[in-house]
Amino acid sequence: MLLAGIDPLFIAAAHDLTEPGRANLRRGIRRGARNLVPNPRIPTADWIEDNLVIPNGSRPGPVTLDPVQRAICDAYDDDGVSHIIWRKPPRSGSTTLTACLTIKKSAYEGQDSIVYERSDKDAQDFYDKKLRPILEASTKVSHFIRPDTRSGIQDSWSDIYGTNGAAIQCRGVHPPHRQVPPR
């Protein structure tokens, strides 16, 4: 666009004044464009064992999956699977695997995840005892957790927003006003 009647020295001065902002904009666009490229597709079981650490419990250390857990991860990798409904048996490592699958989906693939438990208390326990400790202990993905601000913690146990924009939601299926039957 030709700016008729405007002093060319004024235009040159305005150009010089705005150059730092334009340089920052170009730098931000380049950084953002790099982040738009999806991570390479990796088998879920391999990614979990390579990246996640269990900080406490009966088997602390890098995650090691058993054959049943690997089979579940293989089903998770099938094309066309949009959600998984899993009736988990007790004491099979299913809660830990659920946390690991949720972390991969959100921290690595950048997709939103939601985990349902029987009640809000169970959902908060899942976050406090499994999801958050694994995220914090796994240095390869701990950057997913947004740092606390001066005003405190940014996320609650029920809604976690990662640094990549993906959200993890933890919910109870029974409303708080209903009595949850004993287990």
Side-chain angles (χ1 to χ4, degrees):
M1 179 172 139
L2 182 61
L3 300 172
I6 298 180
D7 183 4
L9 292 175
F10 174 78
I11 293 173
H15 184 272
D16 291 344
L17 286 171
T18 59
E19 178 54 34
R22 287 189 314 226
N24 285 337
L25 175 64
R26 287 190 297 271
R27 206 172 15 260
I29 289 171
R30 280 193 302 273
R31 186 173 51 242
R34 280 193 308 266
N35 292 332
L36 290 175
V37 177
N39 288 321
R41 203 163 169 182
I42 297 173
T44 297
D46 295 340
W47 185 90
I48 288 171
E49 288 183 335
D50 291 343
N51 293 284
L52 299 182
V53 174
I54 299 172
N56 50 26
S58 60
R59 298 186 318 179
V63 175
T64 304
L65 300 175
D66 64 34
V68 173
Q69 292 170 327
R70 282 191 154 279
I72 292 167
C73 290
D74 290 344
Y76 187 85
D77 289 335
D78 283 347
D79 290 332
V81 173
S82 62
H83 65 279
I84 294 174
I85 299 172
W86 177 15
R87 292 185 58 119
K88 54 187 187 163
R91 308 211 45 83
S92 65
S94 56
T95 304
T96 301
L97 183 58
T98 299
C100 293
L101 291 169
T102 302
I103 291 168
K104 184 198 185 240
K105 188 65 130 178
S106 296
Y108 184 73
E109 296 176 11
Q111 297 183 25
D112 295 342
S113 298
I114 187 165
V115 177
Y116 290 105
E117 288 286 344
R118 291 173 52 91
S119 66
D120 281 347
K121 181 186 179 312
D122 291 336
Q124 186 170 4
D125 282 350
F126 170 76
Y127 172 77
D128 290 339
K129 295 177 181 173
K130 290 291 180 183
L131 189 68
R132 182 75 183 212
I134 292 173
L135 270 171
E136 290 175 343
S138 304
T139 56
K140 293 181 181 176
V141 294
S142 60
H143 64 277
F144 178 76
I145 302 170
R146 296 189 306 172
D148 294 343
T149 63
R150 284 185 282 171
S151 60
I153 298 172
Q154 292 195 54
D155 298 320
S156 66
W157 65 267
S158 62
D159 296 295
I160 304 104
Y161 298 95
T163 54
N164 64 357
I168 298 175
Q169 296 179 323
C170 299
R171 298 286 188 268
V173 294
H174 293 287
H177 63 277
R178 278 190 49 201
Q179 181 72 0
V180 178
R183 292 184 185 186

